[in-house]
Amino acid sequence: MTPKWIIDSLGGYEVFDLDVCGHLVDGKPLVSTAKQYYTEKDDGLKSPWFFNIWCNPPYNDLKSWLKKMSEHKNGIVLCFARTDTKAWEYVKTATGINFIKGRIKFLNEKGEGNQPANAASCLIAWGESNYKRIKNISGLCVRIDNE
C-alpha cells in the first residue's frame, strides 16, 4: 500500500477525488489516499472515473491501468519505473514523470514498511496541477512533450 509520506507530499488525500485501486483494512483505508475509493470488489477498471484520480495499481496488470489513465487524463499513478515494459506506451500521453529518489517502502496490512521495493518507483502525472504536485517529491522530474 502507498506510504503516507507520498500522499502528504502531493498535498494530502483531499486533492484526489477517487482512489481507483483503494485498499481497505477492516473497512477503512490504512492511509487516506482520496475522498472516495474503489476496492478490488468495485473493479476500478470497469467503474467510471471522475475528477482527479490516485492510482497505485496492481503491478501485474499495469498496462490496463495506464491505458485507462491515459484516456482519463487527470491523475497520478505510482508504479515501478520499468520503462522497458509494454505498459509504458501509454505514458507518452502524460504531462510528466518523477523518478523517485531511492527505493520506497510500501506498507503491509499492519501499516509497516520495513523492506524497500525491489525496483525503483515513479509517479506519472496527467494534468498540469498534478505535474506540479509530483515535483514536491525528491527525484528526477521530467516533463513530457506530447507534441
Side-chain angles (χ1 to χ4, degrees):
M1 290 177 273
T2 305
K4 186 177 185 311
W5 69 267
I6 290 179
I7 298 299
D8 289 346
S9 298
L10 296 173
Y13 77 92
E14 299 92 350
V15 302
F16 298 105
D17 298 291
L18 177 64
D19 181 339
V20 294
C21 297
H23 190 87
L24 306 181
V25 177
D26 297 327
K28 295 183 279 186
L30 190 61
V31 172
S32 294
T33 52
K35 296 173 194 166
Q36 295 182 43
Y37 300 86
Y38 288 153
T39 64
E40 188 175 355
K41 180 180 161 187
D42 300 312
D43 193 347
L45 282 173
K46 292 182 180 172
S47 298
W49 289 16
F50 52 87
F51 306 120
N52 198 26
I53 301 295
W54 170 254
C55 182
N56 178 1
Y59 291 179
N60 64 347
D61 188 18
L62 180 59
K63 185 175 181 178
S64 296
W65 295 96
L66 288 177
K67 179 179 187 291
K68 186 144 183 176
M69 183 65 86
S70 74
E71 294 164 354
H72 182 71
K73 294 184 177 17
N74 188 19
I76 297 175
V77 173
L78 171 63
C79 64
F80 286 144
R82 293 185 170 145
T83 60
D84 59 329
T85 64
K86 290 183 180 183
W88 275 69
E89 71 184 83
Y90 296 103
V91 174
K92 64 186 172 193
T93 66
T95 308
I97 305 169
N98 182 327
F99 295 95
I100 299 171
K101 182 179 180 181
R103 301 268 174 109
I104 65 174
K105 295 177 182 177
F106 289 99
L107 303 179
N108 64 20
E109 299 276 329
K110 296 178 184 176
E112 301 164 336
N114 298 330
Q115 297 296 320
N118 62 7
S121 297
C122 66
L123 293 163
I124 307 169
W126 280 262
E128 195 61 39
S129 60
N130 287 319
Y131 177 66
K132 289 177 183 174
R133 286 184 183 99
I134 67 171
K135 291 170 80 174
N136 291 327
I137 293 182
S138 181
L140 173 63
C141 208
V142 180
R143 187 172 192 83
I144 297 174
D145 183 3
N146 294 321
E147 301 187 22

